[in-house]
Structures are given as C-alpha cells and as structure tokens.
Amino acid sequence: MLIPKKSKFRKQHRGRLTGKACKGNTLIFGDYGIQALEPVWLTSRQIEATRRTLVRYIRKTGKLWIRVFPDKPVTLRAAETRMGGGKGSPEYWVSVIKPGHVLFELKGIPKDLAIEAVKDASYKLPIKTKLIYNLLEGE
C-alpha cells in the first residue's frame, strides 16, 4: 500500500471537499484515464485494490500510471473513550479527490480492453467515475 516515507507533521486538519479539481484534471501520460466525478477521501487500500484490477488487464503490454498519492493522515480515537484527551493517533492515509481529478492512466492497450478494465476497476472505487481518452489515440 502507498504511504509517505516521512511527513513533517503527524496530524492534519480535516479540510473541506468543496470545489472542482484545478490541477490533475487532464491526461498527461497515457491514452485512457479514470476521472472522478464526485469528491471523496480515497484510502490507500482502495487505490491498491483498483491498481491490482487494472494490472490484471494490461499485463505486460500496457503501462499504468497512478496519478494520486495518499498523503493525508486520518486519525481515529479509541472506541468508548471520554471527551478530551486530545486528538487520536494516525490510523490510515487518504488522498483528497475532487471532481474532475484523473486517478489512473493507461497506455498501450486496445480501446475495448481499456473500457473493460476501467469498468471493472471502477467497482473498487467508492465514487462515480468515467473513462476519458485522447482523441488522437482513442479512436
């Protein structure tokens, strides 16, 4: 699973999931991509499950790029603890995803296989997604 090697601070504020993605909303490396249509915190486990599904389809012919990285720690308090006593310890890592952000990119596979791979991979994600592709390569 993906986690940062080192972070400057152990705990972060939660933040807000408003707005649309300004950066990372176009294809850069591949011909096909999975684009998010809803805001979400994507956990490192969900990213890994989706990556495994895509790798099963592309085999050795294609290439896969993961465009998201879980760099936000999520803290949890122990169950049935009283109020006070500070913030809980970091439990897992998430990536903040806003609508329009490209999550994964694929290259080197036919369009029909890419459609099938993206369809299967989208079941692993907790949000609605869509397939995007370059007009030059995707037709």
Side-chain angles (χ1 to χ4, degrees):
M1 284 189 298
L2 297 170
I3 59 167
K5 288 180 187 167
K6 187 177 169 185
S7 62
K8 192 168 183 180
F9 300 105
R10 281 182 65 228
K11 300 172 184 178
Q12 280 185 18
H13 290 263
R14 292 175 63 86
R16 297 177 65 171
L17 285 173
T18 58
K20 293 187 172 127
C22 302
K23 296 178 181 177
N25 54 3
T26 57
L27 290 176
I28 295 174
F29 305 105
D31 301 330
Y32 307 99
I34 300 176
Q35 188 175 41
L37 298 177
E38 298 173 342
V40 72
W41 279 358
L42 204 60
T43 67
S44 55
R45 289 175 180 269
Q46 292 164 342
I47 295 169
E48 178 64 15
T50 309
R51 183 196 67 83
R52 285 184 178 189
T53 307
L54 289 170
V55 165
R56 188 181 314 131
Y57 279 93
I58 62 173
R59 307 274 179 190
K60 293 180 180 177
T61 58
K63 185 154 173 57
L64 172 70
W65 287 270
I66 305 171
R67 295 280 306 275
V68 292
F69 186 80
D71 56 355
K72 183 183 188 73
V74 176
T75 62
L76 292 178
R77 297 285 303 271
E80 299 180 10
T81 55
R82 295 188 175 192
M83 292 288 102
K87 196 170 182 178
S89 59
E91 295 294 322
Y92 58 95
W93 296 83
V94 296
S95 176
V96 178
I97 305 298
K98 294 187 176 183
H101 203 290
V102 177
L103 307 175
F104 296 91
E105 291 189 29
L106 300 164
K107 188 174 188 168
I109 59 173
K111 185 175 182 180
D112 57 336
L113 193 63
I115 291 169
E116 195 176 334
V118 167
K119 184 181 174 191
D120 271 9
S122 65
Y123 290 131
K124 303 290 182 183
L125 297 169
I127 53 170
K128 290 181 182 173
T129 59
K130 72 175 182 179
L131 170 70
I132 57 172
Y133 55 88
N134 287 334
L135 291 175
L136 300 174
E137 300 294 328
E139 296 187 296

